[in-house]
């Protein structure tokens, strides 16, 4: 299982990003990446709607293990 995450930076500089997780699951990394690579503006618009103060953002796909590690370190928020 793969998940799309967004790393959202509210400030420039050496600040930890806010990590948002999209709820949809993907079977593999390639199919996961294809979604935000083909329609990046859709994802950017959604983030700016939720976090209009965002200064920068990036999208990535992570597997279940990495997502669980991020959750355990309390770095993840949900969309």
């Amino acid at each position: 299982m793969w998940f799309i995450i967004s790393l959202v930076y509210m400030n420039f500089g050496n600040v930890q990003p806010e990590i948002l997780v999209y709820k949809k699951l993907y079977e593999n990394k390639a199919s996961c990446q294809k979604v935000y690579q083909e329609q990046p503006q859709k994802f950017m618009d959604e983030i700016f709607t939720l976090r209009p103060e965002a200064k920068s953002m990036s999208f990535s796909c992570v597997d279940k293990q990495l997502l669980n590690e991020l959750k355990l370190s309390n770095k993840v928020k949900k969309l």
Side-chain angles (χ1 to χ4, degrees):
M1 288 188 295
W2 289 82
F3 304 85
I4 296 174
I5 64 169
S6 176
L7 294 107
V8 181
Y9 295 86
M10 302 302 177
N11 298 300
F12 292 113
N14 194 10
V15 179
Q16 291 290 334
E18 183 174 324
I19 301 173
L20 304 172
V21 179
Y22 291 82
K23 295 177 184 177
K24 186 166 181 178
L25 304 175
Y26 299 91
E27 290 185 30
N28 56 54
K29 187 175 184 176
S31 65
C32 180
Q33 290 174 322
K34 185 178 178 182
V35 173
Y36 66 81
Q37 289 173 346
E38 288 185 350
Q39 297 182 350
Q41 193 62 49
K42 174 184 165 188
F43 286 88
M44 291 169 41
D45 290 346
E46 185 173 358
I47 295 299
F48 281 126
T49 298
L50 294 169
R51 302 289 189 270
E53 69 279 12
K55 303 293 185 210
S56 177
M57 69 186 78
S58 64
F59 300 94
S60 185
C61 290
V62 298
D63 62 13
K64 186 176 181 177
Q65 180 180 350
L66 181 54
L67 184 61
N68 284 334
E69 290 173 16
L70 291 169
K71 283 182 179 180
L72 289 173
S73 64
N74 293 318
K75 294 185 178 184
V76 172
K77 300 194 179 201
K78 294 186 179 182
L79 281 177

